[in-house]
Amino acid sequence: MDKQSVRDLVAGYSIETTVREASRIDRYQDLVPKGTSMYIPHVPGVAREDTVALAARLKKEDMDPVPHIVARRTESAAVLDDFLTRLVGEAGVILNDFLKRLVDGGVTRVLCVAGDISAPEGEFDSALQILERGFLEKHGIRKIGLAGHPEGHKQVPDDVLKDAIVRKNAYAQKTGADVRLVTQFSFVAEPVIAWETSIAPINTLPVYVGLPGLAKVSTLLKYALDCGVGPSLQAFSKHATQLSKLLTVSAPDEQLVALANHRHQHPQSPIKGLHFFPFGGLKRTSEWLAKLADGQFEFTSDGGLNVAS
């Protein structure tokens, strides 16, 4: 494997940003390439109006805003319709009216997920309900990200997750929509590769692998515990047992190299790209990715990368 395999995998990455973080950023093009897909998570406590405003800002700055549609955090169709009607005047971003006018407001892609709460706040229990009831296609949303769980889900049995993959593929085939699987982040590549192999008989959708951005080990551990990341958390924790290591910044270079090598050895792999969870470290992560894209790195003997300072 050569440098180009890493550069190809990094090219066209997507990354998350939040309303809170946006207040500290003067201009997104100072951090990420023009046209980058910027995912906007639904953070509890943040008003949807602020998410709409951020989507509008990102579009104005020539980014590709990708709002999260969280099924279990959608209180009711009535509340949603009322809320989204008010949003139309601000950014043209509207589930029902909301999704139709996402197009008018420049948003052409959404990430539709069930959500991480055990009981739904309204009538939607899963992203599949939103898909199969036709909300997205009715309102012209043709680019859709859906969740993939290489290490399982703390609240959902594996057989249910596998059935969801089947139904997500069926939706894409039926509607012709541009559907991709975006995975939860993990700390090692092996579970992702094993999962990709296990779903191969039932999946034809492209896979975009979630990786953590550059952040302190203590921060990564906190988010991993909150998100229920599985076996790879155990492997990561073994390297973070010392207090001094908790304060160091960790980069996902070993995972990235392993995934690039896997794609090099298996050209037909559905893994097409990467999605980054920066955990507040957007600037640090984007600078690191820019150096990778430019080839400013060397391979290390332990399977990682030495990136130019």
Side-chain angles (χ1 to χ4, degrees):
M1 185 183 71
D2 57 13
K3 282 188 175 183
Q4 193 60 45
S5 296
V6 171
R7 298 176 70 183
D8 289 345
L9 181 58
V10 169
Y13 70 86
S14 59
I15 195 165
E16 295 194 346
T17 189
T18 66
V19 169
R20 184 175 300 173
E21 181 178 57
S23 65
R24 303 190 299 267
I25 296 174
D26 292 330
R27 199 173 76 112
Y28 275 91
Q29 280 196 40
D30 293 336
L31 302 178
V32 298
K34 179 179 178 180
T36 296
S37 291
M38 306 292 297
Y39 284 57
I40 310 172
H42 181 83
V43 178
V46 173
R48 288 190 176 97
E49 289 91 341
D50 293 332
T51 297
V52 172
L54 177 53
R57 173 188 168 182
L58 289 168
K59 186 64 180 180
K60 185 177 180 180
E61 294 188 25
D62 292 322
M63 297 297 152
D64 175 28
V66 187
H68 289 202
I69 306 297
V70 184
R72 293 180 187 171
R73 292 191 181 275
T74 302
E75 298 88 345
S76 71
V79 170
L80 183 60
D81 284 338
D82 177 69
F83 166 62
L84 297 174
T85 297
R86 289 185 287 112
L87 293 181
V88 173
E90 296 180 34
V93 180
I94 53 170
L95 203 32
N96 268 333
D97 226 9
F98 177 51
L99 293 174
K100 179 180 179 181
R101 305 199 187 195
L102 282 171
V103 178
D104 298 335
V107 173
T108 61
R109 187 187 305 278
V110 298
L111 178 72
C112 190
V113 298
D116 58 0
I117 55 175
S118 57
E121 296 177 3
E123 62 190 83
F124 300 113
D125 183 60
S126 71
L128 285 165
Q129 288 179 318
I130 293 175
L131 292 181
E132 295 172 347
R133 287 173 60 178
F135 286 98
L136 301 182
E137 59 185 298
K138 177 182 178 181
H139 297 286
I141 300 299
R142 305 286 296 167
K143 298 178 181 180
I144 305 162
L146 299 171
H149 300 280
E151 300 188 62
H153 191 290
K154 59 184 177 181
Q155 297 172 348
V156 184
D158 288 346
D159 60 335
V160 175
L161 291 175
K162 185 163 287 190
D163 178 65
I165 296 291
V166 173
R167 292 166 66 185
K168 290 169 183 178
N169 276 264
Y171 174 83
Q173 293 165 8
K174 176 184 176 181
T175 63
D178 175 5
V179 179
R180 62 180 57 182
L181 298 178
V182 183
T183 77
Q184 178 58 282
F185 69 91
S186 59
F187 293 117
V188 292
E190 288 77 11
V192 178
I193 294 170
W195 172 77
E196 178 222 302
T197 302
S198 72
I199 66 171
I202 59 173
N203 179 62
T204 60
L205 301 176
V207 173
Y208 289 76
V209 178
L211 293 179
L214 274 67
K216 289 181 180 179
V217 171
S218 56
T219 300
L220 296 178
L221 286 174
K222 175 186 179 299
Y223 278 101
L225 292 170
D226 289 345
C227 296
V229 172
S232 73
L233 174 58
Q234 300 173 12
F236 181 75
S237 298
K238 292 179 181 178
H239 300 290
T241 54
Q242 297 179 11
L243 180 60
S244 60
K245 290 186 177 180
L246 292 175
L247 302 178
T248 61
V249 173
S250 175
D253 54 329
E254 293 183 11
Q255 301 102 293
L256 199 155
V257 170
L259 291 168
N261 188 53
H262 173 71
R263 291 210 321 161
H264 180 73
Q265 294 178 356
H266 302 86
Q268 301 306 314
S269 168
I271 295 175
K272 302 302 180 185
L274 301 174
H275 175 69
F276 285 89
F277 298 77
F279 303 126
L282 177 61
K283 183 176 186 295
R284 183 161 46 197
T285 300
S286 60
E287 289 174 348
W288 184 76
L289 288 168
K291 291 176 181 178
L292 295 185
D294 288 340
Q296 299 178 41
F297 65 89
E298 300 295 336
F299 294 104
T300 63
S301 59
D302 58 358
L305 296 172
N306 183 11
V307 181
S309 58

